[in-house]
Amino acid sequence: MKLDDLDIRWVHKAFSPAQEITDPKLFVGRQKEIRDSINALLNPGSFMAIFGLRGVGKSSIARQIKLIAEGDKTLPAALGLKKSLPRKKDFDFIVHYYTSDGFVHNVYDLFKRMLFGDEENPSLFSLTKSGDKQLAEFKRTVGIEGGASFLGAKVGAKGAEESKFVPYVSDDLIQQFRALLGTIRKDNQDRDGLLILIDEFDTIQNKDGFASIVKACSSDYVKFGVVGIASTGTELIKDHSSIGRQIDFISIPLMPELELLQILKKAEHNVGQAITYEDTAMSEICDKSEGFPYFTHLLGKEAMLIAYERGSTNVSLRDIDSLSKAISEGRLTNIFENVYHEAVKNSPQREVLLKLFAEEDTSDIPSADVYSSAIDMGITNPSQLMKQLTSPDNIATIPVLTKVHDKHYRFTDPVFKVYARIRNWKFSE
């Protein structure tokens, strides 16, 4: 394709830095992880746990698992995994994909979504032949009357005026839920099963009751899976050891350079080769990405747009240098620039502290080493500067650092750690 024929929208569509990849034709790499996911789908009664650092592409992989479970063979074919799929009959799962957000505080909230649906999923009752009747019976059996008593129990009552309802997941409720799943199975015998995937699982503050649900309701027909940020699988499900033997752990590591390069190669293909990357430019983008596909998508897209705007068919190393300068000077509009400003605010000393943490190679960073370096740079009391980084004044601001254990901290978003490292100083030294 000639550059004059290239629509700028194709450049934007060739990359996905802002959201997970839902189109299997845009997905690259992760052959082992996709194979492990297919094996988990084939494992009766197993529980799927997809974990890794933020920014490594967990949600994109989970979205591809959804498609594969529904029978889409596009990605397995592209990755050479067709032999891993069932031969006599394609996958044909009913898949409900839930994403936890600010409205899902506990398993009770999650339960409501599963039962009654959301903007992406219909109610589980709709999967039965007599959905409305099933719903009415469920409400009657567990005593749901609506309002504050919804799925709740009256506790701690000293008088009528002091009564309150607290959400909980009871054994009776679990058994009724299990009965509902049994009806779904009976009414959908032609399907492989029901797969319930829960993304952002780690953001659910109170997970009490979840293990009981999974343990009681998993079967060769019903399968659960969670997706979340964690360094290890046990960290993701640390409160649910009782389901340990059922778990298929799927670890999503940093993406190797060869697969990062494939992101750029596929983007070239998706714009009809109207714009291509010089080898040195590709290498520089992958090097700066440090294993995070998010950065490859972000830098790759912005670099291609620079070439497009100056009418060039090649992305050169000069374009990457120009882009890097824009990032280092805070001129590239992205969410991390706002996070950087919120973390640093008007404190040059806090910026020094943030930069020192960002320069540490380990995931769990010992504060003693950072404080020592900060003191050498003239900061008298670095521990007092930590509050804005770990507990911001603005409750709507996400802390950039979190304490993982005694005197050790971790970046809440390791992608921001990379950004903080490559960005120039806000305050001149």
Side-chain angles (χ1 to χ4, degrees):
M1 180 190 298
K2 294 182 179 179
L3 184 61
D4 290 342
D5 297 325
L6 178 62
D7 189 321
I8 193 171
R9 288 176 294 186
W10 297 355
V11 176
H12 287 277
K13 289 180 180 180
F15 298 94
S16 188
Q19 60 185 18
E20 65 267 22
I21 297 172
T22 56
D23 185 350
K25 294 179 181 178
L26 294 178
F27 192 91
V28 300
R30 301 302 196 188
Q31 184 190 60
K32 178 184 181 301
E33 291 76 17
I34 296 298
R35 180 189 288 113
D36 290 345
S37 302
I38 292 173
N39 289 338
L41 289 174
L42 292 167
N43 188 7
S46 70
F47 170 75
M48 192 183 303
I50 304 169
F51 67 95
L53 298 174
R54 187 185 298 276
V56 296
K58 299 182 300 300
S59 293
S60 293
I61 289 173
R63 287 289 180 180
Q64 298 309 310
I65 293 171
K66 177 182 185 294
L67 291 175
I68 292 169
E70 291 171 337
D72 191 323
K73 297 188 288 187
T74 305
L75 184 59
L79 295 177
L81 295 174
K82 291 187 72 172
K83 288 186 177 180
S84 297
L85 296 172
R87 292 190 178 184
K88 293 185 178 181
K89 180 180 177 292
D90 293 341
F91 279 132
D92 189 22
F93 280 86
I94 303 168
V95 183
H96 278 212
Y97 190 108
Y98 303 94
T99 301
S100 298
D101 52 31
F103 298 101
V104 180
H105 303 288
N106 47 45
V107 176
Y108 155 78
D109 294 333
L110 180 62
F111 224 118
K112 286 195 292 185
R113 284 205 178 176
M114 287 191 287
L115 290 172
F116 303 112
D118 55 20
E119 62 277 1
E120 184 173 351
N121 308 279
S123 162
L124 284 179
F125 291 103
S126 70
L127 300 177
T128 66
K129 291 181 179 179
S130 55
D132 292 341
K133 184 178 179 181
Q134 280 283 115
L135 174 57
E137 176 63 17
F138 185 87
K139 286 184 175 182
R140 185 192 66 79
T141 304
V142 298
I144 299 174
E145 299 174 354
S149 64
F150 183 66
L151 295 184
K154 190 180 290 186
V155 298
K158 295 180 181 179
E161 70 283 355
E162 297 182 33
S163 297
K164 64 178 181 178
F165 290 93
V166 176
Y168 79 116
V169 180
S170 68
D171 290 340
D172 183 50
L173 185 60
I174 291 172
Q175 293 310 313
Q176 292 302 317
F177 183 57
R178 188 177 183 182
L180 170 61
L181 296 176
T183 303
I184 291 173
R185 178 174 187 168
K186 184 184 69 174
D187 292 347
N188 297 273
Q189 295 184 34
D190 58 328
R191 308 295 292 272
D192 282 350
L194 172 64
L195 172 62
I196 297 175
L197 283 173
I198 304 160
D199 201 354
E200 304 287 352
F201 179 72
D202 53 290
T203 65
I204 301 176
Q205 298 173 6
N206 184 354
K207 304 179 183 67
D208 291 348
F210 183 77
S212 299
I213 295 171
V214 171
K215 197 167 185 178
C217 300
S218 294
S219 66
D220 58 346
Y221 189 86
V222 178
K223 185 181 294 292
F224 291 85
V226 297
V227 185
I229 299 166
S231 298
T232 65
T234 52
E235 181 180 308
L236 179 62
I237 54 138
K238 57 188 175 183
D239 299 324
H240 309 297
S241 58
S242 61
I243 57 175
R245 288 180 296 177
Q246 296 175 245
I247 300 174
D248 280 319
F249 286 116
I250 302 170
S251 173
I252 314 300
L254 294 173
M255 185 172 271
E257 183 175 348
L258 183 61
E259 294 186 2
L260 295 175
L261 288 170
Q262 288 178 24
I263 294 175
L264 301 175
K265 287 290 186 182
K266 177 152 286 192
E268 290 178 335
H269 172 76
N270 289 332
V271 298
Q273 306 293 324
I275 300 177
T276 59
Y277 298 87
E278 293 180 0
D279 290 344
T280 52
M282 278 192 171
S283 296
E284 188 68 10
I285 289 174
C286 294
D287 184 58
K288 289 184 177 298
S289 297
E290 297 190 26
F292 292 101
Y294 166 84
F295 262 116
T296 304
H297 279 274
L298 176 65
L299 299 177
K301 175 182 175 180
E302 294 296 333
M304 187 174 281
L305 287 172
I306 289 174
Y308 177 87
E309 289 170 2
R310 64 181 175 82
S312 174
T313 59
N314 290 302
V315 175
S316 67
L317 187 58
R318 177 187 293 182
D319 294 325
I320 308 305
D321 290 340
S322 175
L323 180 59
S324 298
K325 185 177 181 181
I327 292 174
S328 67
E329 294 176 353
R331 291 187 288 106
L332 181 63
T333 303
N334 64 88
I335 187 173
F336 295 122
E337 182 61 20
N338 295 330
V339 173
Y340 192 91
H341 280 284
E342 280 294 321
V344 172
K345 287 191 174 291
N346 298 315
S347 171
Q349 290 195 337
R350 189 179 295 113
E351 184 176 30
V352 171
L353 195 62
L354 174 62
K355 285 283 192 178
L356 288 173
F357 270 102
E359 289 297 330
E360 293 291 322
D361 292 330
T362 58
S363 174
D364 293 355
I365 305 168
S367 58
D369 295 345
V370 174
Y371 289 173
S372 177
S373 298
I375 291 171
D376 290 342
M377 296 179 69
I379 298 176
T380 55
N381 199 336
S383 61
Q384 290 186 353
L385 297 170
M386 285 291 286
K387 182 179 183 298
Q388 186 62 30
L389 302 180
T390 59
S391 304
D393 297 332
N394 184 351
I395 60 173
T397 301
I398 299 174
V400 298
L401 291 172
T402 183
K403 190 173 183 178
V404 286
H405 51 87
D406 187 39
K407 298 181 180 179
H408 283 73
Y409 293 83
R410 180 186 300 170
F411 274 84
T412 53
D413 188 340
V415 184
F416 173 71
K417 180 182 180 182
V418 176
Y419 184 82
R421 188 158 54 236
I422 64 177
R423 192 202 186 282
N424 272 358
W425 296 82
K426 176 180 177 181
F427 300 100
S428 58
E429 295 180 283

